[in-house]
Amino acid sequence: MNKFDDMIAFVHERTTTGRFAQVIAVDAKFELFSRAWCVAECVEADATCLPQFVKIQSTESLDEHYNRLANLSVEECEASHKEDKDYILAKIRDVGAFNERLQWLVFGSNGLMNSWMDAQGRIAQAGHIVARIRAKST
């Protein structure tokens, strides 16, 4: 039995009380973002305005997996069972828009990675991003 929709609705009802938040504990290899259920949960939680907080191992870990995150798409995500992935994809009306929302959730001005870092970390990360762009263009 799939309880995803029921759980999202349950949490959404309680979000207005300020009693719930989503803590996203990212593994060192960022494999969490390769799992269809995890990605769907993050996007749905964001859509219901559930506060989200991300915990990652280090800036170096983020740097190491940045390219995979930058190319993240729900179609490429995995699930333990084919039916689960099919279910998730079937619930998404516009996969392209979902992927754009996912990228904004991860990297946007109020995104998960932005909220993870303090101001000094954001400046350092901006430098890393510029360096990656320069490396790709040469």
Side-chain angles (χ1 to χ4, degrees):
M1 178 186 229
N2 189 321
K3 297 181 181 178
F4 180 79
D5 294 325
D6 293 338
M7 182 54 79
I8 291 294
F10 174 82
V11 170
H12 176 67
E13 289 173 10
R14 281 143 184 89
T15 299
T16 57
T17 65
R19 295 173 47 204
F20 282 95
Q22 182 183 42
V23 177
I24 304 164
V26 181
D27 57 289
K29 294 182 180 179
F30 280 68
E31 290 176 352
L32 173 132
F33 291 105
S34 71
R35 307 300 302 167
W37 279 118
C38 296
V39 167
E41 182 181 310
C42 290
V43 172
E44 285 299 314
D46 179 61
T48 63
C49 299
L50 180 67
Q52 295 173 300
F53 303 95
V54 69
K55 302 295 180 189
I56 66 173
Q57 186 177 29
S58 65
T59 301
E60 291 78 21
S61 181
L62 174 59
D63 284 344
E64 184 179 340
H65 301 286
Y66 178 86
N67 288 337
R68 187 165 38 132
L69 286 176
N71 295 301
L72 190 60
S73 71
V74 70
E75 307 97 318
E76 299 298 320
C77 289
E78 302 170 357
S80 297
H81 304 284
K82 182 183 181 316
E83 314 76 66
D84 288 347
K85 185 173 178 179
D86 292 344
Y87 175 81
I88 292 165
L89 292 173
K91 292 195 61 73
I92 300 171
R93 288 186 202 151
D94 182 340
V95 173
F98 181 95
N99 287 333
E100 287 177 19
R101 175 82 181 235
L102 178 58
Q103 285 296 313
W104 180 252
L105 173 62
V106 174
F107 292 114
S109 57
N110 292 319
L112 297 173
M113 296 307 141
N114 195 29
S115 66
W116 173 74
M117 293 181 270
D118 61 12
Q120 185 176 4
R122 284 193 287 274
I123 291 169
Q125 191 61 26
H128 290 298
I129 291 168
V130 170
R132 283 191 288 267
I133 291 169
R134 285 184 178 161
K136 282 185 176 183
S137 64
T138 57

